[in-house]
Amino acid sequence: MYEPIRTKPVVQRMGGTTVDYPHSSRGEALDIQLAGHLAALLAVTDELGLDEAAAGIAAQVARLRGAQPARAPRGPAGEAAALHQRAHDLAARALLVAASRADTTVAILAAERMDAHAAALESLDLAGAL
């Protein structure tokens, strides 16, 4: 009734060591994810013109990736509130992954960036109310 499978399995189960596809460990996957979140935070930080903060973020991206991140030249700034909100969200994502990875250096950096962007959002809200 059923035809047997005639192809060789790609993955050997239970004790086999040959695998035909590349894979990474959980730690490597978290490194890749964390570097991606930090690179996105770096782009927004550059757009906001926060050079000192951008240098710290770039150093952590370089540590995780093993190479300096690509930096876009500072273009026309968008709406400051939207950029600060995006940066806050990206820093929160980086903090979450850094905590999973037990990377205290990046966790502290991300928490500081979250605080800075929250303060900037609050000051923009106060300025808009006046």
Side-chain angles (χ1 to χ4, degrees):
M1 183 138 207
Y2 294 102
E3 186 173 339
I5 298 172
R6 295 183 185 175
T7 60
K8 185 176 178 182
V10 176
V11 178
Q12 290 184 344
R13 307 269 183 209
M14 301 298 293
T17 58
T18 59
V19 177
D20 289 347
Y21 59 91
H23 64 283
S24 58
S25 68
R26 182 175 186 272
E28 291 169 337
L30 287 173
D31 283 349
I32 292 166
Q33 187 177 16
L34 183 57
H37 290 316
L38 287 175
L41 178 60
L42 177 61
V44 176
T45 304
D46 278 340
E47 192 171 348
L48 283 166
L50 305 172
D51 295 331
E52 187 176 320
I57 297 167
Q60 293 305 314
V61 173
R63 180 180 62 88
L64 290 167
R65 287 189 175 163
Q68 289 295 322
R71 306 275 300 263
R74 188 172 171 193
E79 183 184 343
L83 289 173
H84 282 294
Q85 184 62 52
R86 175 134 174 83
H88 184 274
D89 294 345
L90 288 166
R93 290 177 187 171
L95 177 59
L96 205 99
V97 177
S100 296
R101 197 180 162 274
D103 189 335
T104 54
T105 305
V106 174
I108 291 169
L109 174 71
E112 288 172 351
R113 297 313 316 146
M114 285 179 67
D115 289 344
H117 293 295
L121 282 168
E122 188 174 313
S123 69
L124 287 173
D125 285 342
L126 290 175
L130 296 177

